[in-house]
Amino acid sequence: MSRLRVTPARGQGRDRLYVSLRDGTTVAWYDQDTGRVSVLSGAGRDEVLSALAPYLTGEVTVGPPRVPTPADLDRLSLHPDDDLAPNRPGEALHAELDALRAADSAPSSASPGSLLWRRWRQDPRQAELLAQENIGDRLDRLEGAGWRVLHSIPLPGAARIDHLAIGPAGVLAVRTLPARKRRVGVADPQVRVGRAAPAPHLRWARRAAERASRALAADVRPVLAVVEPARLDALPMPPDVRILRDTEIPALASLGGVLKPADIESLYATARDRHSWLRV
């Protein structure tokens, strides 16, 4: 068995595979966008390439790493099990739905139209996952404008922050609300989607931002991101919660004046460490 393990991650707009020892020490990484394998001094070049062999595509360049950025140094200092940066949007939902699929052997063994198939397709977590992936993808695209984004941050008590965005406009704790082709009505703190019973989504968004503020020792603003609503009625608009349609997320790239790049990187380094969230 190889003494090396490979961990995928995405950060700063790049897809990377990190190669580490069993104790979590990083010895190399493969930048999939540039086709470069950076091997740290003392690491075995052949062993690293052997571990990465199933993932390498096309021609690759192998050599010592370029001068690392502060973000690179932050990653190297974190054990992979403690680093939240690799979390996908809806990471917890992925795990729950994978468990359901394994338990039911669905949908692979279920024929379309069967009861098992309908149960799988109609599970509300499917819509929640699609909505989180929608918002997560739009937030990730802000990285070119100086933003840093984390997804599915676990909190004590089984709660989670859907997305945390840190950028020139400040720190945003984003709660995702799926509303595909349904009317959304906001009457603080309640939010009604279609004909469903109202739920206190604004209260939950505020609570997530409060916990993030304690973890980061910084001001965090709650955001409710509504995905594909047929209509959004939010009058009067809550003064402390920003309500955005999914299509309005890109406009955050034009906002600034709150955090400098060094502040963004410092807060991101704290936020990506799982231990930062253990007591909030």
Side-chain angles (χ1 to χ4, degrees):
M1 180 182 294
S2 172
R3 68 190 185 110
L4 300 181
R5 67 176 180 177
V6 178
T7 305
R10 180 172 176 81
Q12 302 148 51
R14 294 182 178 180
D15 290 307
R16 282 182 173 177
L17 295 173
Y18 283 83
V19 183
S20 59
L21 300 174
R22 292 293 170 178
D23 65 2
T25 302
T26 299
V27 296
W29 59 87
Y30 169 41
D31 192 325
Q32 296 171 286
D33 295 329
T34 63
R36 179 178 177 82
V37 178
S38 298
V39 183
L40 297 178
S41 177
R45 181 180 186 276
D46 292 340
E47 190 177 5
V48 166
L49 291 178
S50 177
L52 286 172
Y55 310 98
L56 299 178
T57 57
E59 296 185 2
V60 298
T61 303
V62 182
R66 298 183 177 89
V67 177
T69 66
D72 292 328
L73 295 175
D74 289 335
R75 170 167 291 282
L76 294 176
S77 67
L78 273 181
H79 190 287
D81 291 341
D82 296 328
D83 192 354
L84 300 178
N87 282 8
R88 298 168 292 179
E91 187 72 47
L93 292 171
H94 274 290
E96 292 174 11
L97 290 169
D98 286 347
L100 176 64
R101 179 169 52 190
D104 289 342
S105 298
S108 58
S109 65
S111 59
S114 69
L115 179 62
L116 187 58
W117 179 271
R118 290 198 299 272
R119 175 188 171 188
W120 173 258
R121 296 297 296 173
Q122 294 173 4
D123 191 306
R125 289 173 294 185
Q126 295 278 11
E128 293 175 21
L129 178 57
L130 290 174
Q132 291 201 29
E133 289 177 335
N134 179 319
I135 296 300
D137 181 63
R138 293 177 187 273
L139 288 171
D140 284 341
R141 295 178 189 176
L142 297 175
E143 290 189 338
W147 288 76
R148 299 288 180 260
V149 181
L150 295 168
H151 307 288
S152 195
I153 297 175
L155 302 176
R160 289 187 178 265
I161 296 176
D162 291 346
H163 317 277
L164 187 77
I166 307 171
V171 185
L172 308 177
V174 183
R175 179 176 179 83
T176 302
L177 180 64
R180 182 173 175 79
K181 298 181 180 179
R182 289 173 291 174
R183 178 177 177 178
V184 176
V186 179
D188 194 0
Q190 302 291 331
V191 179
R192 181 191 290 272
V193 179
R195 296 181 179 179
H201 287 284
L202 296 186
R203 182 184 304 151
W204 294 334
R206 291 181 177 111
R207 177 61 175 156
E210 290 170 2
R211 298 178 78 171
S213 181
R214 288 201 298 270
L216 302 178
D219 182 44
V220 179
R221 183 170 183 181
V223 173
L224 183 67
V226 185
V227 180
E228 299 181 338
R231 177 175 172 180
L232 177 58
D233 296 324
L235 294 175
M237 187 71 72
D240 59 331
V241 181
R242 185 167 193 153
I243 301 177
L244 298 174
R245 297 172 182 261
D246 55 316
T247 53
E248 296 174 314
I249 295 292
L252 295 174
S254 64
L255 303 179
V258 177
L259 295 177
K260 298 178 180 178
D263 299 324
I264 294 170
E265 294 299 336
S266 177
L267 287 168
Y268 179 65
T270 300
R272 69 192 295 179
D273 187 346
R274 180 179 60 85
H275 292 97
S276 299
W277 304 93
L278 295 182
R279 297 183 181 276
V280 299

